[in-house]
Amino acid sequence: MQDIVEVYSALSRKDECIMNAIFENMWDFEYVPVHVFIRECGMSEEKVEGLLRRLAGLRLVENKYTEYLGASFTFKGLSVFSLKRLVRRNVIDMLGKIMGEGKESVVFNALSERHGEVVVKFHRVGYPSFKKVKEKRDYGTLHYTVLTIRSAKREFQALKRLYGYASVPRPIAWEGNAVVTELVDARELNKVRLEEPEHVLELIIEEIRKMYERGVVHGDLSQFNILVSEEGLWIIDFPQSVDVGDEVAEEYLERDVSNVITYFERAYGVKKDLNEVLRYVKGEA
Ligand SMILES: Nc1ncnc2c1ncn2[C@@H]1O[C@H](COP(=O)(O)OP(=O)(O)OP(=O)(O)O)[C@@H](O)[C@H]1O
Ligand SMILES: [Mg+2]
């Protein structure tokens, strides 16, 4: 992913047409067949095959022969495609450095003339890491690309729903697997030593309550997804979030609250009763 900007600059209009056609047709085909590219890009079969080989060489697409030759995005290809769209919309002007790279995302900072310093998070839910290519999970005929885009969409929608009600980074844009938010100048809870842990725990419980009131359960809340600074705290990382009323909402809520309480007890010896907090969050106390 380090070379995403160089790869991005090396793409021609024809490459872009191929990538566009993958994006438009991946809902119907796990691997978008060559005839679709021939039709949509107005190129010969030889030309299309040449471009697909080149894009595979850049690790942007994966080509596969079944009854026909078809192509799908790799995580890198989908990310480059999403980045192109963000730049074209003038959402961001320059991608910066990697801030973090995990199993399910790669997070960059970026500069935006319009929005200042921002964060671009490229989702990669379901994509096998290169080491594990052989252990692909079975997702039926849906390509990872679709799942990954769904994860980004879910995160963006949760942020939009919550912004202004609970403390989350301002959502700016969503394209493909990329979600752009404001950059918050704060550090993960597990990386700081709090001076007033009781107070911070109260603030976090208050955020969980506000999110619940707004109809959202985070689903992956922990000391790693809470950013803190002298100015306040922010809840991040929403791809797993569910609506209140969803069949797993109560279970997720209990896990979220339990994670937070357990962390404060272990790290600071601050104790809270799980059921009492749950009642408070749900407006029952
Ligand atoms: N808006 C933001 N402002 C500042 N830092 C951010 C922001 N969003 C994300 N980060 C940083 O990037 C890290 C990863 O982001 P996030 O938690 O959303 O993704 P993730 O899926 O947990 O990633 P990973 O797979 O690496 O755990 C965060 O822990 C945080 O340090
Ligand atoms: Mg996280």
Side-chain angles (χ1 to χ4, degrees), residues 45-181:
E45 188 167 349
E46 295 71 50
K47 181 74 193 169
V48 167
E49 288 186 7
L51 284 171
L52 288 179
R53 270 197 300 276
R54 186 181 116 76
L55 291 171
L58 291 168
R59 292 198 180 282
L60 297 176
V61 307
E62 183 200 348
N63 298 324
K64 190 170 172 182
Y65 278 98
T66 44
E67 301 104 78
Y68 56 81
L69 173 64
S72 66
F73 277 132
T74 59
F75 164 60
K76 188 165 155 187
L78 177 60
S79 303
V80 168
F81 176 83
S82 306
L83 178 63
K84 272 244 176 254
R85 290 201 159 190
L86 288 170
V87 172
R88 195 153 290 155
R89 277 174 54 191
N90 293 320
V91 173
I92 60 172
D93 296 289
M94 202 167 47
L95 200 63
K97 292 209 173 79
I98 290 190
M99 295 171 67
E101 181 160 10
K103 203 160 49 63
E104 309 229 299
S105 78
V106 180
V107 177
F108 283 80
N109 61 20
L111 269 184
S112 163
E113 210 168 284
R114 240 199 279 166
H115 306 284
E117 247 191 300
V118 299
V119 167
V120 187
K121 175 174 174 182
F122 295 102
H123 289 239
R124 69 164 150 206
V125 174
Y127 272 94
S129 67
F130 277 116
K131 275 183 242 143
K132 287 193 178 162
V133 170
K134 298 233 157 51
E135 304 167 23
K136 280 187 188 178
R137 283 180 269 169
D138 183 13
Y139 286 108
T141 52
L142 276 183
H143 194 264
Y144 310 116
T145 306
V146 177
L147 297 163
T148 298
I149 292 172
R150 192 180 286 166
S151 153
K153 178 181 178 187
R154 179 163 294 237
E155 172 152 84
F156 187 66
Q157 285 181 333
L159 288 172
K160 274 210 310 195
R161 192 165 174 76
L162 292 171
Y163 187 69
Y165 294 87
S167 186
V168 298
R170 182 167 70 87
I172 296 172
W174 159 53
E175 279 292 348
N177 69 333
V179 174
V180 183
T181 59

Side-chain angles (χ1 to χ4, degrees), residues 196-210:
E196 298 177 60
E198 290 90 353
H199 177 59
V200 175
L201 177 55
E202 294 291 338
L203 292 177
I204 294 169
I205 292 169
E206 203 49 39
E207 290 307 322
I208 300 174
R209 190 190 63 76
K210 285 190 269 181

Side-chain angles (χ1 to χ4, degrees), residues 249-273:
E250 298 302 306
E251 178 194 333
Y252 279 21
L253 179 68
E254 184 169 333
R255 194 176 60 197
D256 285 353
V257 172
S258 169
N259 286 345
V260 171
I261 290 181
T262 307
Y263 176 73
F264 274 84
E265 181 161 358
R266 215 184 53 225
Y268 298 102
V270 174
K271 289 198 169 93
K272 279 267 181 203
D273 180 68

